[in-house]
Amino acid sequence: MRSHADGDDTRFYAIAMQVAAQAALSGHGKFAQDLRALVDLVREHAKAADPVLRNLKPVPLAQPRGELAGLLTVDYPKTRIVDMALTHALRTKLDRVITEQRQRDRIREHGLAPMRKLLLVGPPGTGKTMTAAALAGELGIPLFSIQLDGLITKYLGETAAKLRLVFDAIQSTRGVYLFDEFDALGGERGSKNDVGEIRRVLNSFLQFLEQDESDSLVLGATNYVGLLDRALFRRFDALLEYAHPTADVAARVMRVRLGLLDTSSLNWDVAAKAADGLSHAEITMACDQAAKDAILDHRTAVRDSDLALALEERSSTHA
């Protein structure tokens, strides 16, 4: 109420989304969904009514033309940071990135630059790609995913030329640009598998990244941080480290994912122990399986046995 009275809409909406997340954790799934939908609706109406906000809308590249068509895919995510189960340290870093982006003009007025070049490292399924979507959703800008299979070619000089096209797009259209499986591009120079063309591509990438002063966010994500060239790390503003969820985070993932069903009889401590060693994505898939088992059995409640079996199957697959 205080943020609304002060006219601080950004904080007001953020608090509303936090209330929705807490409602989902408490089992009030319908209320959480309704509140999130209402916040999104009010945001859109505010943008439509404010000519300044209308002018800040990104130029869409939903149909990238020419060579860009094979290099970029675009999406406009509705994911939010509150939708993610994060450690306190990681949440704090992401909140800081969002705050600096929302106040980037103020920061630049003082001769400083906001954080916008992020390196995301950690095992598969721990939230790196979802982070890119959440940043785009929070900032209301598109998410562009770079297609490395279209970027990297066997022809001398062609990959660097395509990379220049990508950085031209980064400069001209504000968005979140995700280089997934980044180790394929940023592998360490001088390794035994190194080839001259890839070394030249990495040199070009380092040069483009260092020269880039756009308003876009550039994210590199990799499962294999040990393969990255050391020179990359000082080119990024922040290193975000992801890991398999702790027991508390695992329980939070399960509570949110099963929030639309009755989970009052579930033993969360046992479930969290069964989820040990699984990634966020694997836990999510296990919850979906348990929920579908309940629905197909015409039940509104998820049983311990449903969830335990689903987690066990994911553990077997994981092993």
Side-chain angles (χ1 to χ4, degrees):
M1 292 300 294
R2 195 158 49 238
S3 63
H4 177 68
D6 292 341
D8 188 350
D9 287 343
T10 299
R11 185 163 181 262
F12 181 74
Y13 296 145
I15 293 171
M17 295 301 284
Q18 291 171 17
V19 171
Q22 187 58 45
L25 288 173
S26 302
H28 303 292
K30 180 64 166 59
F31 171 73
Q33 281 188 333
D34 289 346
L35 183 54
R36 287 176 182 173
L38 183 58
V39 170
D40 287 337
L41 180 63
V42 172
R43 276 175 167 165
E44 291 302 316
H45 284 174
K47 286 182 181 179
D50 191 327
V52 175
L53 290 175
R54 280 206 305 272
N55 292 333
L56 290 177
K57 286 186 177 180
V59 178
L61 277 180
Q63 296 294 332
R65 296 181 178 181
E67 289 189 79
L68 278 178
L71 300 177
L72 300 174
T73 59
V74 63
D75 189 23
Y76 289 84
K78 293 185 177 180
T79 309
R80 299 289 187 270
I81 294 296
V82 294
D83 296 326
M84 303 182 66
L86 301 167
T87 62
H88 176 72
L90 195 50
R91 174 65 185 268
T92 300
K93 286 185 178 181
L94 291 174
D95 283 343
R96 181 56 184 260
V97 171
I98 293 168
T99 299
E100 291 195 13
Q101 280 296 308
R102 287 174 174 162
Q103 301 189 45
R104 64 189 186 282
D105 291 338
R106 182 181 177 188
I107 290 174
R108 283 177 173 151
E109 285 174 359
H110 290 78
L112 301 171
M115 283 193 292
R116 41 173 295 272
K117 300 172 184 177
L118 310 176
L119 185 58
L120 284 52
V121 303
T126 51
K128 299 185 295 297
T129 303
M130 190 175 182
T131 294
L135 288 173
E138 290 284 354
L139 298 172
I141 56 179
L143 169 62
F144 295 99
S145 298
I146 289 78
Q147 305 300 300
L148 292 184
D149 58 342
L151 179 66
I152 300 176
T153 73
K154 62 181 179 180
Y155 299 107
L156 184 66
E158 186 173 312
T159 300
K162 290 185 175 183
L163 194 58
R164 179 180 290 278
L165 286 176
V166 171
F167 273 90
D168 286 345
I170 290 173
Q171 178 67 41
S172 61
T173 303
R174 185 174 185 239
V176 174
Y177 288 79
L178 174 63
F179 290 83
D180 206 356
E181 299 182 2
F182 187 57
D183 47 279
L185 183 65
E188 185 174 4
R189 293 168 292 185
S191 67
K192 63 180 181 180
N193 295 322
D194 185 18
V195 294
E197 174 65 356
I198 290 298
R199 184 165 60 250
R200 283 187 288 272
V201 169
L202 177 55
N203 288 337
S204 296
F205 180 87
L206 292 172
Q207 182 180 3
F208 291 148
L209 187 64
E210 193 160 18
Q211 294 174 348
D212 174 42
E213 296 181 355
S214 68
D215 279 335
S216 295
L217 281 78
V218 180
L219 275 58
T222 179
N223 304 329
Y224 307 104
V225 63
L227 298 180
L228 296 182
D229 192 277
R230 296 294 99 185
L232 280 167
F233 291 89
R234 64 183 179 86
R235 277 10 185 252
F236 286 91
D237 300 321
L239 174 69
L240 305 184
E241 297 184 79
Y242 295 74
H244 285 144
T246 62
D248 288 342
V249 173
R252 207 185 319 158
V253 172
M254 290 185 283
R255 285 178 183 274
V256 171
R257 197 66 183 180
L258 296 172
L260 296 179
L261 294 171
D262 180 7
T263 58
S264 58
S265 64
L266 288 181
N267 188 323
W268 294 111
D269 291 336
V270 172
K273 186 176 180 179
D276 183 42
L278 297 180
S279 70
H280 299 71
E282 289 167 328
I283 294 171
T284 297
M285 288 187 284
C287 289
D288 289 351
Q289 179 181 329
K292 287 186 284 187
D293 288 342
I295 292 169
L296 293 175
D297 201 26
H298 302 286
R299 289 182 281 110
T300 59
V302 179
R303 298 182 302 207
D304 280 321
S305 57
D306 297 329
L307 189 53
L309 180 59
L311 290 169
E312 183 181 346
E313 289 182 1
R314 287 295 158 187
S315 295
S316 300
T317 303
H318 182 266

